[in-house]
Every structure is written in structure tokens, then in C-alpha cells.
Amino acid sequence: MPGRESLSQQWYMSYLAACNDRRFEDLARYVHPEVDGSLEGSVRGVGDYVAGVRRITDAFPDYRWTMERLVIEGEWIAALVHGAGTHQGEFLGIAPTGRTVMVQEMVFYRVVDGKLIVCRGDLDVKLRDALASPGT
């Protein structure tokens, strides 16, 4: 069983690299099979979690996550993450706009046995709001 060293900046950066490199098959190394990834229970299990990441990268093919701050306390990780990408596919019912958006996301994770079992973030809302705002 992975110990406390699993919860490190290096571990989180490896997880982000898997997302940024579109190595979706590798996400099972970081995400618990029974992950709860939403407040309303719409993301249950690693398959739903990976589908959520794919939904973002399908709509924003050049999307990249960059960590700004990481706080680790016990089993919990708080991350301040910047993201940017060009809206080229449907996202939350919004047709492609061709706009490049940049957002700041706050996400909290609970990690058990070296895998994310709880994920609470605001990325969908941030991206939706960025697309709805006036500008380029």
C-alpha cells in the first residue's frame, strides 16, 4: 500500500502529466475505481472520471492544466490549477466558439491508498462562464 509519500507534489504532477498528455489509460493509476467526482453524484467510478476529462479535452483539444499551488494535509489535497485551451467542440451544450479561454480552478481531492477517491472542483463552471463572457 502506498504510504504518505504518495501524496506529494511529484505524485500530483505525474497525475496532471497523464491528463495533459492524454494518457487516459494511465489515469487508473491515480484514480480509485469507486471515485466520487461530483457534488450531485453524477461522476461515479473511474470510467465516469476519465469520461469527464475526455469531455474537456474533446471540447478543448489543446487544453493544458498547470499547477500553481498545492497543499497536502493528511489524505486531502487542495490544488490551485490554471487551465487554457481553445473551444473547438461542444461543451455543456455550448457549440464550438473558437475562443481560447484561460481559467483558474480550485479542486480538492481525498486520496486513499494512493488513489483519488473524492474530487471536488469547479472546472466545468469556470469553463462555462468563460465561454459565456464577452470577449475574444
Side-chain angles (χ1 to χ4, degrees):
M1 177 167 82
R4 172 138 322 184
E5 66 277 3
S6 293
L7 295 182
S8 67
Q9 184 170 332
Q10 181 179 357
W11 181 88
Y12 189 73
M13 294 301 291
S14 296
Y15 160 75
L16 281 186
C19 293
N20 284 331
D21 296 342
R22 312 308 191 244
R23 291 183 282 115
F24 302 114
E25 66 282 356
D26 289 352
L27 289 179
R29 293 177 26 204
Y30 303 96
V31 179
H32 194 281
E34 298 175 15
V35 66
D36 175 358
S38 66
L39 294 175
E40 70 282 348
S42 63
V43 176
R44 290 279 188 200
V46 70
D48 282 355
Y49 191 94
V50 171
V53 175
R54 281 184 185 267
R55 185 184 68 231
I56 292 164
T57 60
D58 285 350
F60 302 86
D62 59 346
Y63 199 86
R64 303 281 300 168
W65 288 267
T66 306
M67 184 195 66
E68 180 181 322
R69 296 253 188 254
L70 193 69
V71 177
I72 301 170
E73 185 176 301
E75 295 178 329
W76 287 92
I77 294 174
L80 179 60
V81 181
H82 292 270
T86 307
H87 184 215
Q88 298 179 6
E90 184 273 329
F91 183 73
L92 299 178
I94 302 170
T97 63
R99 290 179 60 188
T100 297
V101 296
M102 292 177 274
V103 297
Q104 180 176 293
E105 169 190 12
M106 200 54 216
V107 62
F108 293 88
Y109 305 96
R110 181 172 173 238
V111 180
V112 173
D113 295 331
K115 294 190 176 191
L116 306 173
I117 194 160
V118 174
C119 175
R120 298 288 185 262
D122 57 359
L123 182 56
D124 284 358
V125 171
K126 297 284 187 167
L127 287 171
R128 182 202 63 212
D129 290 351
L131 290 172
S133 69
T136 57

